[in-house]
Amino acid sequence: MITSTANEKVKYVRSLHHRRIRQRERCFIIEGVRLIEEALRAGVVPALVFYTEDAPSLLEKMPDSTSGIWSVSAAVMKTISETVTPQ
C-alpha cells in the first residue's frame, strides 16, 4: 500500500493535473467508478490504477495489460484526486 504523497507514482499522477504535462505524456486521469467502467467498455487500457480499500471491486475488470495497480491510503487518494469526494 502506498501511504506517502512523496511516492514517485503519486507525484506523477499529480503532475497530470497540468494540461501541458498531460499533452507531453499523452496520458489523462479518469476518476470515479462510472467513468472507469465506461472507459473499460470502450477498450481503454489503464497504465496505472490507484484504489483504496473501500473501493468497489473494479479490479477484476482491469485488463491483464494494465501495467500497475496499487492500493493507496485515503490521504494519498485525496491528494491525487481533483474531485471533492473521490470515489
Side-chain angles (χ1 to χ4, degrees), residues 41-57:
R41 278 194 297 272
V44 173
V45 177
L48 303 171
V49 176
F50 295 92
Y51 69 96
T52 57
E53 293 299 321
D54 59 339
S57 126

Side-chain angles (χ1 to χ4, degrees), residues 30-33 36 50-52 54-56 72-87:
I30 300 175
E31 295 182 45
V33 175
I36 293 169
F50 295 92
Y51 69 96
T52 57
D54 59 339
V72 297
S73 67
V76 170
M77 185 61 76
K78 187 175 180 178
T79 63
I80 62 176
S81 176
E82 285 191 322
T83 59
V84 176
T85 54
Q87 295 179 350

Side-chain angles (χ1 to χ4, degrees), residues 14 16 19 21 25 39 58 67 71 74 76 78-79 81 87:
R14 285 182 22 210
L16 291 174
R19 182 177 157 200
I21 305 295
E25 296 291 317
L58 279 175
S67 60
S71 171
V76 170
K78 187 175 180 178
T79 63
S81 176
Q87 295 179 350

Side-chain angles (χ1 to χ4, degrees), residues 1-73:
M1 173 184 275
I2 298 174
T3 58
S4 172
T5 57
N7 180 285
E8 289 301 316
K9 293 169 188 67
V10 173
K11 287 181 180 180
Y12 175 70
V13 172
R14 285 182 22 210
S15 75
L16 291 174
H17 290 292
H18 301 284
R19 182 177 157 200
R20 65 181 172 80
I21 305 295
R22 286 192 307 270
Q23 289 176 337
R24 182 185 75 208
E25 296 291 317
R26 300 181 53 90
C27 291
F28 57 93
I29 300 170
I30 300 175
E31 295 182 45
V33 175
R34 186 179 324 142
L35 289 177
I36 293 169
E37 287 175 339
E38 289 178 20
L40 291 172
R41 278 194 297 272
V44 173
V45 177
L48 303 171
V49 176
F50 295 92
Y51 69 96
T52 57
E53 293 299 321
D54 59 339
S57 126
L58 279 175
L59 300 178
E60 300 166 357
K61 299 177 183 178
M62 291 299 149
D64 292 335
S65 55
T66 301
S67 60
I69 299 174
W70 290 278
S71 171
V72 297
S73 67

